């Protein structure tokens, strides 16, 4: 799958300039509306709104995922399995699939328009009230930030390992190992991930520890308030549309 995942697309746009926490709140509000009102009109409005946000973010068409054939095949298979139950079940399955794709697209919009270094500070600020309950907010924010930062690296390593495996000669012990390609690649990926984790830990320690990851100054501004007003208006419009229909 040749696409940009969990990495910022380096273009200048109003969406890129928003605070990371604003985007997270917006996606959370959208997910709440879709969770309780997963009707087709609401799904359609949210789809149009996300397309509008993507255009406003000036994301090139090459950013869109090129999904592998088996991904589409799984959706089709799910529809075929629900078909004997009845038309209502198929319709419900289609709504759930659309709901899932919209949430995935909204999450990707955050990744495509936000530097990964801004995620942890935003999460720490949003979770500040939980500190009164002695919750490890900073630790949670660091875990999420490091996971988001490490996944693209791991995916790239897996691509390299798969390409290197195809180029290996198929003789002797290597030929016998080729009988378990999944185990071979996963074992190598685990070794690479362990090495990268050690290097990342040493780099974080040298720069002052994990506290530095959440100490980056970040705060919402006027544009963030306007953006949230727009998201709330769209969500309320979806609620009103659902009640009218």
């Amino acid at each position: 799958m040749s696409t940009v995942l969990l990495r910022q697309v380096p273009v200048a746009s109003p969406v890129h300039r928003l605070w990371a926490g604003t985007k997270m709140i917006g996606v959370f509000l959208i997910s709440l509306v879709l969770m309780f009102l997963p009707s087709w009109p609401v799904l359609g409005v949210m789809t149009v709104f996300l397309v509008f946000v993507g255009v406003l973010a000036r994301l090139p068409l090459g950013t869109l995922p090129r999904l592998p054939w088996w991904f589409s095949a799984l959706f089709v298979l799910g529809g075929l399995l629900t078909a004997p139950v009845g038309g209502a079940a198929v319709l419900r399955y289609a709504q759930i699939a659309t709901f899932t794709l919209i949430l995935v697209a909204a999450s990707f919009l955050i990744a495509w328009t936000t530097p990964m270094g801004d995620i942890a500070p935003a999460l720490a600020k949003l979770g500040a009230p939980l500190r009164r309950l002695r919750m490890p907010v900073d630790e949670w924010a660091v875990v999420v930030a490091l996971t988001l930062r490490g996944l693209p690296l791991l995916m790239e390593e897996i691509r390299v390992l798969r390409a290197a495996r195809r180029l290996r000669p198929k003789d002797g012990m290597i030929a016998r190992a080729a009988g378990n390609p999944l185990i071979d690649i996963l074992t190598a990926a685990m070794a690479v991930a362990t090495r990268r984790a050690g290097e990342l830990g040493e780099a974080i320690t040298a720069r002052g520890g994990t506290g530095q990851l959440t100490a980056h100054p970040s705060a919402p501004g006027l544009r963030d308030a306007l953006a949230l007003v727009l998201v709330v208006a769209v969500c309320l419009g979806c609620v009103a549309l659902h009640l009218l229909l």
Side-chain angles (χ1 to χ4, degrees), residues 15-38:
V15 181
H16 283 72
R17 290 190 289 270
L18 292 176
W19 179 51
T22 301
K23 303 171 194 178
M24 296 179 195
I25 295 173
V27 172
F28 175 72
L29 294 176
I30 291 174
S31 65
L32 281 181
V33 173
L34 293 179
M35 185 180 301
F36 292 102
L37 305 174

Side-chain angles (χ1 to χ4, degrees), residues 9-230:
V9 179
V11 296
S13 75
V15 181
H16 283 72
R17 290 190 289 270
L18 292 176
W19 179 51
T22 301
K23 303 171 194 178
M24 296 179 195
I25 295 173
V27 172
F28 175 72
L29 294 176
I30 291 174
S31 65
L32 281 181
V33 173
L34 293 179
M35 185 180 301
F36 292 102
L37 305 174
S39 62
W40 284 115
V42 174
L43 293 172
V45 170
M46 288 301 182
T47 300
V48 172
F49 178 65
L50 290 181
V51 171
F52 167 75
V53 174
V55 173
L56 190 63
R58 301 175 183 174
L59 297 173
L61 292 178
T63 306
L64 297 176
R66 299 173 185 173
L67 301 176
W69 65 269
W70 54 262
F71 188 87
S72 302
L74 287 178
F75 275 97
V76 174
L77 179 61
L80 294 177
L81 292 177
T82 56
V85 181
V90 175
L91 183 63
R92 186 62 175 174
Y93 171 79
Q95 287 180 329
I96 294 174
T98 306
F99 164 77
T100 302
L101 291 176
I102 290 176
L103 289 187
V104 171
S107 301
F108 280 169
L109 280 175
I110 296 179
W112 291 334
T113 61
T114 309
M116 289 296 102
D118 292 347
I119 297 295
L123 288 174
K125 187 176 289 293
L126 291 175
L130 297 177
R131 292 194 181 95
R132 299 179 181 179
L133 302 177
R134 297 183 179 180
M135 296 289 187
V137 176
D138 291 337
E139 287 77 3
W140 292 345
V142 169
V143 169
V144 173
L146 292 180
T147 300
L148 293 176
R149 185 170 297 181
L151 277 177
L153 297 176
L154 182 59
M155 293 172 62
E156 186 63 29
E157 290 288 354
I158 291 178
R159 292 193 188 99
V160 173
L161 290 171
R162 290 181 60 189
R165 193 176 188 283
R166 294 192 189 102
L167 296 176
R168 292 191 312 180
K170 300 297 187 298
D171 58 347
M173 296 181 61
I174 296 179
R176 289 193 294 272
N180 299 300
L182 181 60
I183 295 178
D184 193 13
I185 293 176
L186 287 179
T187 302
M190 290 176 61
V192 172
T194 302
R195 175 178 57 81
R196 282 194 175 272
E199 295 174 352
L200 182 60
E202 293 175 358
I204 292 175
T205 302
R207 295 183 180 182
T210 56
Q212 297 298 319
L213 297 177
T214 58
H216 187 274
S218 61
L222 178 60
R223 65 169 65 96
D224 297 284
L226 295 176
L228 285 179
V229 168
L230 177 61

